Amino acid sequence: MIEVQTLSVRFGGIKPIDQLTAALTAPVSGLIGPNGAGKTTLLNVLSGFVRPVEGSVRLDGRPLLPLSPLQRVKAGLRRSFPTEQVVEDLTARDNLFAIADHVTAPGARSRTTDRALDFVGLRSVAHRLGARLNLFERRLVELGKCLIGTPRLILLDEPAAGLTDEEGARLRDLVLRIPSEFSAQVIVIDHDVDLIRAMCSETLVLDYGRRLALGPTETVLADPDVRRAYLGEL
């Protein structure tokens, strides 16, 4: 469970996160909001790339903010980005193995890498260079990297960007299996409301850095304030 308490971030005179309090407890939670709502800033705070001016964050009861980004990774935090971060002159397997170097004991690196490869379905292209992978395979490499070691919180930032409907559905099915097979919580940012609805049992909506709504996804998406702010409805 991730708990955020009175969190604020300031960039000069701008507050992209403003007194945010929320607890996300579902196995797969959504994070949505209009452009500039503070979604990426919140992920950057969780990742350790941005330091808040006030507030606290706890992961399974443990304070997260005192930890460096590397310490957070070792504590089980994983993240993907809207643009896949695949090293093109490494094989698919070696892209995952490079993460294992930092978060697992030497004797466990091959085991955790192969488990992640099998889970995302990349075993058949494990020795293909990153430069030769198609977009869907690159997205699967990103997801596989999040599964290395012992993940506890996985932050997926637009994981289905650029994918076809069929590929998006396959990715969705993989994400839904993560909590039971890896005992990790997943938070998903995506502009595709249908994908959020299909993936996430609860959703947090941000607007101007503040919490607009939090609750069961269907209830949140039906909220008139959410529909006005996020879906542009009057």
Side-chain angles (χ1 to χ4, degrees):
M1 178 172 70
I2 188 77
E3 299 172 272
V4 177
Q5 186 71 34
T6 59
L7 191 72
S8 293
V9 173
R10 186 186 298 276
F11 298 142
I14 299 173
K15 256 190 174 180
I17 300 291
D18 189 5
Q19 291 286 303
L20 176 64
T21 294
L24 296 173
T25 61
V28 182
S29 298
L31 176 59
I32 66 172
N35 289 334
K39 304 182 299 297
T40 298
T41 300
L42 178 57
L43 260 61
N44 285 338
V45 170
L46 299 179
S47 304
F49 303 149
V50 169
R51 184 172 295 279
V53 294
E54 63 177 316
S56 64
V57 179
R58 290 181 176 272
L59 175 60
D60 295 333
R62 178 183 181 184
L64 193 65
L65 297 183
L67 304 180
S68 69
L70 180 57
Q71 287 172 326
R72 297 182 199 202
V73 171
K74 291 183 176 180
L77 191 144
R78 305 284 185 271
R79 180 178 178 180
S80 73
F81 293 85
T83 302
E84 66 278 359
Q85 310 290 305
V86 176
V87 181
E88 299 203 337
D89 59 353
L90 292 180
T91 65
R93 186 179 189 278
D94 284 344
N95 268 273
L96 272 63
F97 197 83
I99 303 299
D101 270 344
H102 298 287
V103 297
T104 62
R109 290 172 187 167
S110 291
R111 183 171 64 254
T112 188
T113 298
D114 290 340
R115 182 190 182 198
L117 278 172
D118 287 338
F119 179 83
V120 299
L122 287 179
R123 176 71 78 167
S124 64
V125 296
H127 298 292
R128 185 176 298 172
L129 289 177
R132 296 180 53 221
L133 298 174
N134 62 38
L135 176 61
F136 183 49
E137 291 166 342
R138 292 167 73 90
R139 291 289 182 193
L140 293 179
V141 167
E142 288 296 287
L143 185 60
K145 285 158 61 177
C146 291
L147 302 174
I148 296 296
T150 308
R152 294 170 60 194
L153 176 65
I154 298 175
L155 310 174
L156 300 179
D157 195 346
E158 298 186 38
L163 300 184
T164 66
D165 289 344
E166 179 182 355
E167 292 167 344
R170 289 172 61 188
L171 183 74
R172 176 200 66 206
D173 292 343
L174 289 173
V175 171
L176 289 173
R177 288 168 49 198
I178 288 174
S180 60
E181 298 193 30
F182 289 84
S183 299
Q185 183 182 12
V186 183
I187 297 177
V188 181
I189 291 181
D190 209 287
H191 294 290
D192 187 337
V193 173
D194 290 335
L195 188 70
I196 292 292
R197 179 180 282 113
M199 273 190 185
C200 308
S201 56
E202 75 173 349
T203 295
L204 169 64
V205 186
L206 297 182
D207 191 27
Y208 294 106
R210 290 181 172 269
R211 170 176 153 176
L212 180 61
L214 171 62
T217 297
E218 290 294 348
T219 302
V220 164
L221 293 178
D223 185 304
D225 290 335
V226 172
R227 300 187 73 83
R228 279 192 294 269
Y230 184 57
L231 302 177
E233 296 186 1
L234 298 177

